[in-house]
Amino acid sequence: VDGEATTPDWSPDGNWIAFSLDECTVAMIHADGSGMRTVPSQTPGGCETDPAFTPDGSHLIFERYDPTIEDDAVWNMGLNGDDRRRLGTGPGGAATPEISPDGQTVTFLSFTPSDLTAIFAVDIDGGPVRQVTPTLWGITFKHDWAPDGSRLVMSDNADNPDRPVNVVTIRSDGTGLRYLTDLQSPEQRAFAGTYSPDGRWIVFRLEEGDRSALMVMRTGGQGMHAILPFSDFIPRFIDWGPVPS
């Protein structure tokens, strides 16, 4: 890829990866690194970013910022950029959208009136936006749906460097908040990635000072172990994809 590639998302069949190219262009590439293409923007001077496949693989949910009307919202479009529909936005924009396994609910990160971040949700057909999570000193950039749609995983404390960062899950209706890690030092930070396709594991980045490790644990917090040991390498925008068909 000629440029900076971030925020990857696997297609349901494992054959494509959608991602942000240089932050403001939606792009796709085959899992073997071939066939890269960009989705033509329809937002002159703006930004289209953070794509996520719908469960049937036919559309992409993405964030679109239009500077002409200062609108930062979640949109839905076909894989070629057609069939576009605005779904909605939160009180402070709409970043890093994800879609529920049944394809009915889109969740995204937004700033609250208290200048902290939380996860909000909107129906796939648009309509009222609702707050799903408490702010928890701010929610970090990445979150993900469990494959059965029962819970969301994310990390707390995006905004206070004097507090540790821990992985949490919550039911999709906003109840049942559960901490999976119990880090106590601000030097320790656990940043959620995604669920495994079978729903048995959660992958995340664990930081201790200036070193990072790629970790997995069971969805209840047990069985934590490293995939990549601590080093200067920083795994970011982690997405656990299916085996390509």
Side-chain angles (χ1 to χ4, degrees):
V1 176
D2 185 15
E4 182 181 11
T6 57
T7 64
D9 187 73
W10 286 83
S11 65
D13 62 8
N15 290 321
W16 287 94
I17 299 172
F19 62 97
S20 302
L21 180 61
D22 292 329
E23 295 189 1
C24 284
T25 298
V26 173
M28 296 174 58
I29 195 168
H30 281 300
D32 64 3
S34 66
M36 195 194 90
R37 61 182 178 86
T38 59
V39 178
S41 174
Q42 296 184 19
T43 314
C47 189
E48 298 184 358
T49 189
D50 296 350
F53 284 96
T54 56
D56 64 4
S58 66
H59 284 73
L60 292 168
I61 306 297
F62 67 105
E63 177 189 0
R64 177 182 184 265
Y65 174 66
D66 185 346
T68 62
I69 57 174
E70 296 187 354
D71 181 57
D72 185 20
V74 173
W75 284 63
N76 187 4
M77 68 176 173
L79 301 184
N80 293 319
D82 57 354
D83 190 24
R84 290 174 171 238
R85 290 182 295 118
R86 184 184 185 276
L87 303 184
T89 190
T96 184
E98 300 286 347
I99 188 164
S100 60
D102 65 5
Q104 297 303 302
T105 304
V106 176
T107 49
F108 57 89
L109 190 73
S110 186
F111 280 92
T112 68
S114 60
D115 289 329
L116 296 174
T117 48
I119 299 298
F120 290 74
V122 65
D123 291 343
I124 190 62
D125 294 323
V129 170
R130 56 195 182 276
Q131 184 171 337
V132 176
T133 71
T135 57
L136 301 177
W137 293 94
I139 299 296
T140 54
F141 187 78
K142 180 74 175 180
H143 74 281
D144 189 43
W145 284 80
D148 64 2
S150 62
R151 300 187 76 86
L152 297 162
V153 64
M154 67 214 69
S155 291
D156 69 353
N157 190 31
D159 297 291
N160 189 337
D162 296 325
R163 299 174 65 90
V165 177
N166 281 284
V167 176
V168 301
T169 66
I170 196 169
R171 295 191 188 102
S172 56
D173 64 1
T175 64
L177 181 71
R178 179 188 302 164
Y179 274 79
L180 302 188
T181 58
D182 186 26
L183 304 179
Q184 299 293 320
S185 167
E187 292 295 306
Q188 296 178 304
R189 301 170 293 272
F191 291 94
T194 59
Y195 284 90
S196 62
D198 62 8
R200 298 171 60 193
W201 298 91
I202 291 170
V203 62
F204 65 102
R205 179 175 82 251
L206 180 61
E207 296 182 358
E208 292 187 357
D210 295 330
R211 294 169 66 80
S212 300
L214 185 63
M215 308 288 291
V216 293
M217 62 182 165
R218 295 289 190 181
T219 55
Q222 309 89 352
M224 187 183 304
H225 64 275
I227 299 175
L228 294 174
F230 281 100
S231 71
D232 295 332
F233 176 72
I234 304 175
R236 302 179 65 204
F237 305 114
I238 306 160
D239 197 64
W240 193 328
V243 176
S245 59

